């Protein structure tokens, strides 16, 4: 493989190109008219504008992308995440043109794209699953009976859904019929497929996923877990590896289950198996994502593996150079997604020009971004400005480093989720590791994020911290530091 095209934009396009460059592979960027000045365009060896700003006219145009590949003699396509990354038809077209799709085979993408097909495929591999039906239900009376057998609350899910779309919680049998009808019509209009199934509703789960990597010779290795429970409206905001609650025993069990899921669909490349984990640490297979994920850098930090390089090596037909027993966890990594959104105003997208943009530097800090000072954050794409990833020997050290890095980050011109990230890092539930997918709903209050405290409050906080440290120095409470820190925090947009 001498030349690859990156069918994506922003931070992930740049991140893929960096690894390609280190491997001596040439890169081709595609870009929309809105992205003319983007770093990923300048970074590539060659770049081609493929259309107007809207994704459907540019980054989703399979025909135009394939034309660029032919014109420029491209050997492989890396799809990144989003856009065409989980489009089985695209993967098939690419391969039909004699170009390597740097990702799994189209069949695996297809199976995992349908939740019922996925359940069916993994059945023989003894993967723990949430009690429920593994087939589409269309008979209302039968469905009601099953729901009562499982026990309320239950969840109705769309087979073609994912990422929370088309899900309906049903609290009691009386509302079942109504919710079922709504779920079917929602699934039909959103996905063109009205198939739904039911599951027991796990009320306060954690969302934990396992990274796997598989070569073309049947070797599959898991690269431990990522904790992704801190999310809002099915959008992850903070991810970390490893999870604060996973024991070596459970890690091994989840890892084996994830490898089983990969086997079930003859998976090749890098993939992620998502699980729900309940308060008793029971885990259940949810779905598999057949792409490189946004949060992959936390795994790279703790496993010392470059996942993009691995993807390329596998696509070139190389064997995995390590076995499961070679994989260990070193330290702790946390990622914060920095969005151009206003956490004080219900996370409304905040578009505009990055009049100041100075990312943090220093030991253990990695910033994957696709913007530079002066650039516009446009309405056409995801408002992710950057991913701030930190590493520390322990979880506590990683949290301190994240707070330091968030403090250093200078962004003006748009509102960002930086203050929200600090809120999470300082929150007792996050620091103690006792949180679930309801963290934001349960604890987030924009009022508590404001740091331009009145002088009075500052003095009170100082005093409280002083009294605290003088009287309770050895009671095992570790986060007094965060109290003291509030003094030197400055306000920011
Ligand atoms: C669930 C669940 C509880 N019980 N399934 C949301 C996204 C989709 N991938 C599946 N999701 C869920 N499925 C059962 N049986 C709770 C969620 C869920 C969730 C999962 C992961 C991360 C965040 C979430 C937020 C709300 C609900």
């Amino acid at each position: 493989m001498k030349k690859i095209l990156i069918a994506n934009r922003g931070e992930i396009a740049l991140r893929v190109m960096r690894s390609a460059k280190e491997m001596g592979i040439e890169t081709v960027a595609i870009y929309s008219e809105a992205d003319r000045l983007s770093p990923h365009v300048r970074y590539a060896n060659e770049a081609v504008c493929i259309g107007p700003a809207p994704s459907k006219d540019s980054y989703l145009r399979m025909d135009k992308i394939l034309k660029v590949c032919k014109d420029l003699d491209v050997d492989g396509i890396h799809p990144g995440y989003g856009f065409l990354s989980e489009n089985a038809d695209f993967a098939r077209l690419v391969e039909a043109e004699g170009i390597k799709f740097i990702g799994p085979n189209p069949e695996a993408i297809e199976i995992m794209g349908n939740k019922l097909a996925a359940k069916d495929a993994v059945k023989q591999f003894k993967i723990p699953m949430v009690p429920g039906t593994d087939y589409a239900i269309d008979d209302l009376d039968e469905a009601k009976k099953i729901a009562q057998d499982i026990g309320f609350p239950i969840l109705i899910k769309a087979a073609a859904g994912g990422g929370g779309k088309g899900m309906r919680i049903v609290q009691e049998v009386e509302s079942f019929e109504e919710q079922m009808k709504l779920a079917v019509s929602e699934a039909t209009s959103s996905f063109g497929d009205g198939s739904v199934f039911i599951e027991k509703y796990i009320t306060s789960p954690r969302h934990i996923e396992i990274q796997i990597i598989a070569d073309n010779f049947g070797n599959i290795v898991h690269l431990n877990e990522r904790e992704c429970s801190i999310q809002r409206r099915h959008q992850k905001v903070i991810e970390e590896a490893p999870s604060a609650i996973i024991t070596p025993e459970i890690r091994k069990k989840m890892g084996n289950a994830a490898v089983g899921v990969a086997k079930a669909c003859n998976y090749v490349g890098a993939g992620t198996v998502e699980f729900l984990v309940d308060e008793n640490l029971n885990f259940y297979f949810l779905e598999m994502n057949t792409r490189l994920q946004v949060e992959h850098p936390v795994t790279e930090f703790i496993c010392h593996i470059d996942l993009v390089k691995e993807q390329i090596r596998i696509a070139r037909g190389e064997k995995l150079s390590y076995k499961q027993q070679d994989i260990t966890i070193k330290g702790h990594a946390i990622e914060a997604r920095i969005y151009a959104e206003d956490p004080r105003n219900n996370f409304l997208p905040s578009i505009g020009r990055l009049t100041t943009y100075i990312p943090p530097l220093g030991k253990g800090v990695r910033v994957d971004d696709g913007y530079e000072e002066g650039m516009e954050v446009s309405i056409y794409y995801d408002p992710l400005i950057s991913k701030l990833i930190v590493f520390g020997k322990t979880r506590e050290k990683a949290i301190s480093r994240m707070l330091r890095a968030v403090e250093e980050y200078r962004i003006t011109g748009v509102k960002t989720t930086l203050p929200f990230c600090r809120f999470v890092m300082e929150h007792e539930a996050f620091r103690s590791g006792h949180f679930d997918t309801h963290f934001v709903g349960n604890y987030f209050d924009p009022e508590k994020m404001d740091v331009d405290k009145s002088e009075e409050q500052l003095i009170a906080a100082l005093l409280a911290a002083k009294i605290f440290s003088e009287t309770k120095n050895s009671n095992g409470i570790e986060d007094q530091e965060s109290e003291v820190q509030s003094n030197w925090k400055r306000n920011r947009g």
Side-chain angles (χ1 to χ4, degrees):
M1 220 179 272
K2 293 197 179 68
K3 193 194 271 192
I4 65 171
L5 178 145
I6 295 86
N8 217 301
R9 63 180 299 282
E11 66 89 13
I12 195 61
L14 201 53
R15 188 260 166 274
V16 171
M17 287 178 199
R18 286 189 164 123
S19 286
K21 188 171 247 182
E22 288 178 18
M23 295 173 87
I25 297 170
E26 286 196 39
T27 55
V28 177
I30 54 164
Y31 63 98
S32 73
E33 285 163 13
D35 284 342
R36 279 184 193 289
L37 304 173
S38 293
H40 86 272
V41 177
R42 250 178 300 124
Y43 197 91
N45 297 101
E46 295 165 278
V48 182
C49 181
I50 53 158
S55 302
K56 65 167 183 23
D57 301 320
S58 50
Y59 296 105
L60 291 172
R61 283 290 295 267
M62 305 187 205
D63 54 341
K64 287 197 175 177
I65 294 169
L66 289 170
K67 170 89 169 43
V68 174
C69 289
K70 271 192 214 158
D71 291 349
L72 299 183
D73 216 5
V74 165
D75 311 306
I77 295 184
H78 195 299
Y81 54 74
F83 298 121
L84 297 167
S85 62
E86 291 177 285
N87 186 317
D89 294 334
F90 181 62
R92 240 177 235 122
L93 268 175
V94 171
E95 297 270 328
E97 293 289 340
I99 303 159
K100 198 77 210 147
F101 180 76
I102 304 171
N105 52 62
E107 293 73 33
I109 299 176
E110 223 145 51
I111 291 171
M112 292 304 161
N114 184 294
K115 309 306 149 214
L116 284 173
K119 283 192 186 217
D120 196 58
V122 307
K123 228 184 256 169
Q124 307 99 290
F125 290 82
K126 292 200 197 126
I127 313 294
M129 281 189 272
V130 187
T133 65
D134 52 7
Y135 52 88
I137 41 166
D138 41 24
D139 185 301
L140 198 71
D141 291 325
E142 188 202 341
K144 244 188 220 177
K145 197 181 161 294
I146 294 167
Q148 274 167 310
D149 287 347
I150 296 170
F152 287 90
I154 61 113
L155 197 56
I156 307 177
K157 291 185 177 182
K165 259 201 191 147
M167 289 191 345
R168 297 230 150 227
I169 302 168
V170 190
Q171 295 292 351
E172 71 286 300
V173 69
E174 288 73 28
S175 49
F176 187 85
E177 188 166 343
E178 185 195 347
Q179 293 297 325
M180 170 106 169
K181 281 179 180 156
L182 283 169
V184 171
S185 81
E186 215 171 278
T188 310
S189 64
S190 301
F191 313 113
D193 173 2
S195 316
V196 298
F197 60 99
I198 53 185
E199 277 183 0
K200 171 139 197 73
Y201 180 55
I202 312 291
T203 47
S204 301
R206 294 173 78 114
H207 178 182
I208 299 177
E209 58 190 29
I210 304 270
Q211 175 73 53
I212 65 100
I213 188 115
D215 66 18
N216 282 286
F217 307 92
N219 304 302
I220 313 177
V221 166
H222 77 80
L223 303 176
N224 305 305
E225 79 279 5
R226 291 186 288 259
E227 163 72 68
C228 305
S229 299
I230 312 278
Q231 52 83 43
R232 44 170 296 283
R233 289 191 232 127
H234 302 293
Q235 167 122 278
K236 295 166 188 165
V237 233
I238 306 284
E239 301 102 338
E240 59 179 319
S243 164
I245 55 149
I246 298 298
T247 63
E249 294 70 38
I250 293 176
R251 181 170 297 123
K252 202 168 177 179
K253 283 186 189 157
M254 287 179 80
N256 284 337
V259 167
V261 172
K263 267 190 194 139
C265 62
N266 296 312
Y267 202 85
V268 173
T272 297
V273 182
E274 294 187 2
F275 295 95
L276 287 181
V277 180
D278 71 17
E279 51 278 5
N280 301 317
L281 298 188
N282 297 305
F283 62 89
Y284 310 97
F285 167 60
L286 207 52
E287 50 195 76
M288 180 172 192
N289 299 317
T290 56
R291 57 161 195 275
L292 184 72
Q293 291 202 223
V294 177
E295 59 272 26
H296 76 277
V298 292
T299 300
E300 296 188 320
F301 255 139
I302 66 158
C303 291
H304 299 266
I305 284 172
D306 182 320
L307 280 163
V308 171
K309 285 186 184 170
E310 290 300 309
Q311 287 185 298
I312 295 172
R313 287 189 194 110
I314 288 163
R316 287 201 299 215
E318 292 175 30
K319 279 189 177 154
L320 284 183
S321 61
Y322 39 82
K323 302 220 172 322
Q324 190 63 60
Q325 60 264 30
D326 303 324
I327 303 298
T328 55
I329 298 178
K330 201 160 170 275
H332 198 96
I334 306 176
E335 172 177 285
R337 299 192 190 185
I338 314 304
Y339 289 103
E341 291 175 346
D342 184 2
R344 288 183 181 83
N345 192 8
N346 203 24
F347 294 87
L348 232 65
S350 171
I351 49 156
R353 213 166 79 92
L354 296 169
T355 43
T356 314
Y357 183 77
I358 308 168
L361 293 166
K363 190 169 176 241
V365 175
R366 166 176 169 181
V367 178
D368 280 20
D369 58 12
Y371 284 94
E372 282 164 3
E373 196 164 277
M375 281 178 64
E376 294 277 339
V377 180
S378 105
I379 51 161
Y380 293 102
Y381 315 107
D382 190 84
L384 184 76
I385 299 172
S386 82
K387 304 183 313 203
L388 170 56
I389 311 110
V390 298
F391 177 80
K393 269 196 187 126
T394 63
R395 188 168 187 269
E396 289 67 33
K397 285 178 175 153
I399 292 173
S400 300
R401 185 161 281 159
M402 180 62 89
L403 281 165
R404 184 273 286 178
V406 164
E407 181 67 16
E408 234 176 270
Y409 222 134
R410 287 279 170 269
I411 303 177
T412 64
V414 299
K415 299 274 198 289
T416 78
T417 50
L418 278 166
F420 172 80
C421 294
R422 192 175 69 209
F423 170 87
V424 177
M425 292 304 126
E426 288 179 339
H427 199 281
E428 166 56 24
F430 181 76
R431 297 181 82 99
S432 67
H434 297 295
F435 57 89
D436 57 44
T437 52
H438 302 296
F439 178 92
V440 179
N442 284 346
Y443 305 118
F444 181 59
D445 175 359
E447 303 281 305
K448 291 190 188 138
M449 215 175 39
D450 289 320
V451 284
D452 45 346
K453 288 185 177 138
S454 69
E455 199 140 323
E456 228 170 292
Q457 278 177 303
L458 267 174
I459 292 163
L462 254 176
L463 210 66
K466 190 168 152 45
I467 293 164
F468 182 73
S469 61
E470 277 169 3
T471 57
K472 304 217 169 124
N473 229 348
S474 55
N475 68 354
I477 298 172
E478 285 174 51
D479 65 349
Q480 49 174 290
E481 195 184 58
S482 69
E483 294 292 319
V484 181
Q485 276 176 355
S486 60
N487 298 320
W488 46 264
K489 297 255 153 74
R490 270 163 297 166
N491 187 24
R492 65 159 52 87

